[in-house]
Amino acid sequence: MDKKDFIWLTRNTEIDNVCDCFEDCDTEPVIFKLFRASHLPQILEIFADNSTTLHRDNQDTCRLIVTDMTVSDFCDIALQHNSDLIYNDADGRIYYDPADRRKYQHFLRRNTPQTLSQLSPQRKLDILLSISKECYMNLHDKEQHEAALDRQADKLNALLQLPISPEFWEYEQRKIRLIAADIAKIPHIKEKLEDFNTLNLPEQKKLLYKVASITAKYNRIKNPQIVLLTAEQLRQFQLDDWVEADAFALDRTLYICADKLKKQSGIRCLALAWHETNHIAMATGDYSRFPPEENMLNPRLNYINSVERSYIFHPQEKINYALEKMFIAECVARTGVKKLGNTFAPAAELNVAAQYLARSLQKKY
């Protein structure tokens, strides 16, 4: 396996073996889980000379078992390409250590934000994707790595100055118009939105699920599940201290704070369901017609979400918040809802994202 194919695997798959100890995994056939089902032809090409078995689950997640390659064999390949596999005994899973990670970290340390901002978009993405780290040997290692990222936020932001094509942006805007049009067709939608806070919890959840389903349809992904949590339960997911989340997406499931459904406007609550479903779509959907943007939306960049000063520059967040502003405006116009209440709750994020999205559209590859 050449280095280019190996790096593609580290950026677009997870190793899906689960074992009680690394020695148990060592002799098992290696299992790759794809982030995007649309990448199946590419991984099949990489392992064209191997014996493989393909599995799909009801969420259309693809897992490829390479029956004639053990985890130990793949670990040897990783070492050949200046990478490694790390076993986490907390969850029994194996994680990638990106190829040339230390080289890229050194490059990041010794260059200024101004120099980094002048790099090509692909070079920026190579650096961003290569310095990610998902597994740590101990808590001290994790804290040191995250502290280093916080100190280098200005440099991360320089690397996140990435262009977005007008064609991609129009494609995303068209989906918003289609989604809002379908939402407007939901029976009694105007009344439900204006009286959203008085609906009982099952009725609120049913409406949110409908919005998530419509969003999934136009993004060509399977419908996500919705789990309603209390504010305290939401905090137990150990989100960063500076984050005050109303909702988040994890493993194709939306987790929404039920307490917030009693306080936010109906339109704002619909935006929560749309926003988090769109995150799932960006991370797992088919963006093959827009290769640069697909690379930007790579889930491997999710580590940026833990860096407070860089969070809004994350391509997924920047695009999603800018689209959310349009989603709210389209839903208001198409449903005719009058009682808006607290509609633009994350006003800072929406406005900043719109500004930086406009700058990204002006940049060129």
Side-chain angles (χ1 to χ4, degrees):
M1 181 185 298
D2 65 25
K3 190 167 185 175
K4 181 180 178 183
D5 286 342
F6 175 77
I7 289 175
W8 186 91
L9 289 170
T10 66
R11 294 179 181 180
N12 295 286
T13 73
E14 292 177 337
I15 299 173
D16 209 40
N17 298 72
V18 182
C19 310
D20 290 333
C21 63
F22 189 78
E23 288 73 19
D24 289 345
C25 284
D26 223 13
T27 56
E28 286 189 354
V30 64
I31 305 170
F32 296 96
K33 182 172 76 170
L34 286 167
F35 293 146
R36 304 179 192 274
S38 58
H39 284 163
L40 182 57
Q42 190 154 351
I43 195 172
L44 288 175
E45 183 177 341
I46 291 172
F47 292 106
D49 295 330
N50 295 85
S51 176
T52 59
T53 303
L54 177 67
H55 291 279
R56 287 179 184 261
D57 64 20
N58 58 8
Q59 284 290 326
D60 206 27
T61 300
C62 294
R63 289 175 173 83
L64 189 74
I65 304 174
V66 185
T67 54
D68 58 355
M69 178 184 289
T70 66
V71 172
S72 180
D73 294 333
F74 189 59
C75 187
D76 290 340
I77 292 172
L79 293 172
Q80 290 170 19
H81 297 310
N82 199 23
S83 177
D84 202 357
L85 305 183
I86 302 172
Y87 176 75
N88 183 357
D89 56 13
D91 60 10
R93 292 186 173 275
I94 298 169
Y95 295 83
Y96 293 111
D97 189 23
D100 302 318
R101 179 171 60 82
R102 289 171 179 80
K103 180 186 79 172
Y104 281 111
Q105 285 178 327
H106 179 67
F107 182 85
L108 186 65
R109 282 196 299 270
R110 65 186 176 87
N111 282 281
T112 65
Q114 291 73 21
T115 300
L116 296 170
S117 68
Q118 299 303 311
L119 298 175
S120 70
Q122 187 55 55
R123 180 69 166 159
K124 290 177 179 178
L125 281 169
D126 284 340
I127 297 169
L128 288 166
L129 289 166
S130 296
I131 63 173
S132 67
K133 194 170 182 181
E134 294 182 306
C135 185
Y136 304 89
M137 300 305 294
N138 51 60
L139 181 60
H140 178 68
D141 184 25
K142 180 177 186 294
E143 290 174 345
Q144 276 196 321
H145 181 70
E146 292 180 347
L149 290 176
D150 283 334
R151 290 194 301 270
Q152 296 172 324
D154 291 342
K155 296 183 179 184
L156 292 178
N157 296 346
L159 293 172
L160 289 166
Q161 293 177 23
L162 297 163
I164 293 171
S165 69
E167 294 78 16
F168 169 82
W169 184 238
E170 176 51 39
Y171 177 73
E172 293 299 298
Q173 287 181 308
R174 179 176 179 272
K175 285 192 289 188
I176 293 294
R177 291 190 288 268
L178 292 169
I179 291 166
D182 272 16
I183 289 172
K185 295 174 185 175
I186 297 173
H188 311 294
I189 184 62
K190 181 174 181 290
E191 292 82 358
K192 288 178 180 178
L193 289 175
E194 292 185 340
D195 299 325
F196 186 81
N197 300 133
T198 66
L199 299 178
N200 60 42
L201 205 54
E203 290 176 309
Q204 290 178 331
K205 184 177 180 179
K206 183 178 179 181
L207 184 54
L208 296 180
Y209 184 75
K210 182 65 177 175
V211 171
S213 301
I214 292 170
T215 304
K217 178 179 76 171
Y218 285 108
N219 281 285
R220 296 181 177 86
I221 62 171
K222 296 294 180 71
N223 292 348
Q225 299 299 310
I226 291 183
V227 175
L228 297 182
L229 302 174
T230 65
E232 180 55 36
Q233 288 172 325
L234 205 67
R235 281 192 289 271
Q236 290 175 5
F237 275 88
Q238 297 182 325
L239 300 173
D240 294 286
D241 292 339
W242 57 270
V243 176
E244 187 177 348
D246 294 341
F248 65 93
L250 181 66
D251 295 333
R252 304 185 191 232
T253 298
L254 311 187
Y255 295 89
I256 298 176
C257 181
D259 299 341
K260 297 295 178 75
L261 301 183
K262 303 171 186 176
K263 304 172 184 177
Q264 302 280 14
S265 71
I267 287 283
R268 172 69 191 133
C269 292
L270 295 199
L272 286 178
W274 170 85
H275 185 108
E276 299 306 331
T277 305
N278 213 50
H279 269 312
I280 295 174
M282 287 177 169
T284 65
D286 183 356
Y287 284 88
S288 55
R289 64 189 290 186
F290 304 107
E293 283 79 12
E294 183 179 78
N295 286 332
M296 280 184 233
L297 300 175
N298 194 306
R300 288 279 181 247
L301 293 181
N302 285 351
Y303 72 92
I304 295 168
N305 287 337
S306 67
V307 183
E308 184 174 3
R309 288 190 292 141
S310 298
Y311 167 78
I312 198 61
F313 298 98
H314 186 309
Q316 272 205 36
E317 297 299 343
K318 178 172 63 178
I319 293 168
N320 225 26
Y321 274 117
L323 286 171
E324 182 176 338
K325 194 167 185 177
M326 179 183 175
F327 171 84
I328 291 172
E330 284 285 325
C331 285
V332 169
R334 291 176 182 270
T335 62
V337 62
K338 302 297 182 185
K339 291 163 58 179
L340 298 181
N342 189 11
T343 301
F344 296 97
E349 288 89 343
L350 292 170
N351 292 330
V352 170
Q355 292 171 19
Y356 282 96
L357 192 282
R359 295 184 191 180
S360 294
L361 288 169
Q362 294 171 3
K363 295 181 184 294
K364 303 292 183 184
Y365 277 97

